[in-house]
Amino acid sequence: MITVVSGGVGAARFLRALMHVVPAADIAAVVNTGDDTVMHGLSISPDIDTITYTLGGAIDPQRGWGLRDETWRAMGALERFTAVRPTGSTAAPTWFNLGDQDLATHFYRTARLHEGATLTEVTAEICRAFDVEIALLPMSDDRVETRVTLAGDDAREISFQEYFVQLQHGVPISAVRFAGAERATLSSAAARALTDAETVIVAPSNPIVSIGPLRAMAGIDALLAGRRDSVVAVSPIVGGAALKGPADHMLTELGHEPSVVGVARLYAPIASALVIDPVDAELAYAVEAAGMRAIIVPSIMSSIEISATLARATLAASSRR
Ligand code: FO1
């Protein structure tokens, strides 16, 4: 089995490529739940949704999140309440966009959680409904919540989705923490996937807010460090910029180098090799000085051929194979 430690969009694309190289039945993804949120009383798991929709062939390719051919009538209808909402009420927020079809996923997840199902169980059911063939495993059935502290005069702590969607990750931050991580444990399926896999791949996801929540749980770094030779990471930073999202400026704001070298310093304790794009080839020596083998392969997944080559090279970089 190959286990991919996953965030959202980058991980989803990497998993889709890996499925061209390895049978789906041999792939597991341990997915970040730090982005999870509750909106209108609905339980939303953005990274799980993004991977489900991508592998189910239902993702909106432009946005990279949500369903294609989506309509937004429910969101439009919420606007009616903006004028009557009392001051201080957060009812009917319209800054977080839930498409009409997407809502059905959140209705189902929320109802099943209320019936007592675990997030792991509900995710497996939703995956079956979307014909997703790999094992998609929430990192934990316990709540771990990514919280972001803004930098400067407005130094409040907000939820990840307030930072990412409402503020469009356009404001500087001074800290990130993972509330609940100290008490949370891996789901048993995720623990098996990380322990038993022949190779663990850290997907090209944001090292701080996508991979950070998993690493914040007790024992995870030790588990990965214990099998470091068979853990390979793919850099989400290419030429000093994030493939998608705010990873580059988050790294800078939190005191890390926004480069493959900064990524290598973060991952060296848990992974033995880092896949970097040829554009960063001149930094390979610095990646190795940070303690990781540098594997140079085109990493911008602009075609299925390039993506499959990336997946194949990443697998080959694990010394257990
Ligand atoms: N991302 C946005 O940029 N804007 C949205 O309004 C938005 C809504 C949304 C609804 C459901 C869902 O599963 C994901 C959604 N996302 C949205 C994506 C998501 O919040 C982020 O991409 C991730 O949390 C970052 O990995």
Side-chain angles (χ1 to χ4, degrees):
M1 195 216 305
I2 311 297
T3 295
V4 181
V5 177
S6 301
V9 178
R13 290 178 181 160
F14 184 83
L15 284 162
R16 188 169 57 189
L18 192 60
M19 286 172 64
H20 282 81
V21 177
V22 176
D26 294 344
I27 304 174
V30 172
V31 186
N32 172 41
T33 56
D35 297 11
D36 289 14
T37 188
V38 175
M39 292 278 166
H40 318 282
L42 298 172
S43 298
I44 299 164
S45 296
D47 285 353
I48 290 173
D49 291 339
T50 295
I51 297 176
T52 304
Y53 295 166
T54 301
L55 301 188
I59 197 81
D60 180 281
Q62 269 74 47
R63 286 195 306 276
W65 57 268
L67 290 160
R68 67 175 143 75
D69 304 325
E70 189 56 283
T71 53
W72 304 92
R73 295 188 57 134
M75 289 308 295
L78 285 175
E79 299 287 356
R80 177 191 299 271
F81 301 102
T82 310
V84 299
R85 182 171 51 208
T87 314
S89 167
T90 56
T94 51
W95 56 267
F96 193 77
N97 299 287
L98 295 168
D100 300 333
Q101 300 175 82
D102 186 30
L103 277 169
T105 303
H106 313 309
F107 289 154
Y108 184 78
R109 178 183 294 117
T110 305
R112 289 288 291 125
L113 291 172
H114 280 154
E115 286 174 355
T118 63
L119 185 60
T120 301
E121 289 165 343
V122 185
T123 301
E125 291 159 11
I126 294 173
C127 281
R128 280 211 300 284
F130 279 90
D131 294 325
V132 172
E133 291 168 337
I134 70 161
L136 206 60
L137 309 171
M139 64 181 199
S140 179
D141 287 319
D142 303 322
R143 188 75 189 97
V144 176
E145 199 188 341
T146 302
R147 308 279 306 168
V148 177
T149 305
L150 304 183
D153 294 342
D154 189 20
R156 31 188 194 115
E157 189 184 66
I158 58 176
S159 75
F160 179 76
Q161 296 302 340
E162 286 170 315
Y163 165 72
F164 192 92
V165 175
Q166 192 172 30
L167 300 179
Q168 298 183 357
H169 48 81
V171 287
I173 63 168
S174 62
V176 169
R177 75 179 176 102
F178 308 107
E182 59 293 344
R183 288 183 304 279
T185 54
L186 280 176
S187 68
S188 52
R192 270 196 308 279
L194 289 175
T195 309
D196 298 349
E198 190 183 343
T199 298
V200 172
I201 297 173
V202 180
S205 297
N206 187 317
I208 293 170
V209 290
S210 298
I211 309 301
L214 174 73
R215 295 185 66 184
M217 289 193 288
I220 306 304
D221 264 24
L223 188 162
L224 294 173
R227 53 164 308 162
R228 186 179 178 276
D229 283 355
S230 58
V231 182
V232 181
V234 182
S235 177
I237 301 285
V238 172
L243 288 172
K244 186 145 191 351
D248 44 8
H249 64 85
M250 281 186 121
L251 283 167
T252 306
E253 287 156 18
L254 298 177
H256 306 283
E257 203 174 302
S259 72
V260 292
V261 182
V263 175
R265 289 186 188 128
L266 287 168
Y267 285 155
I270 57 162
S272 55
L274 183 67
V275 177
I276 64 173
D277 189 83
V279 109
D280 291 311
E282 81 280 8
L283 293 174
Y285 76 94
V287 167
E288 306 229 333
M292 297 186 85
R293 259 181 317 124
I295 314 292
I296 304 172
V297 189
S299 314
I300 300 174
M301 293 181 276
S302 52
S303 73
I304 195 58
E305 292 76 22
I306 294 175
S307 311
T309 304
L310 171 67
R312 221 171 274 119
T314 304
L315 274 181
S318 164
S319 59
R320 263 209 211 166
R321 291 179 70 83

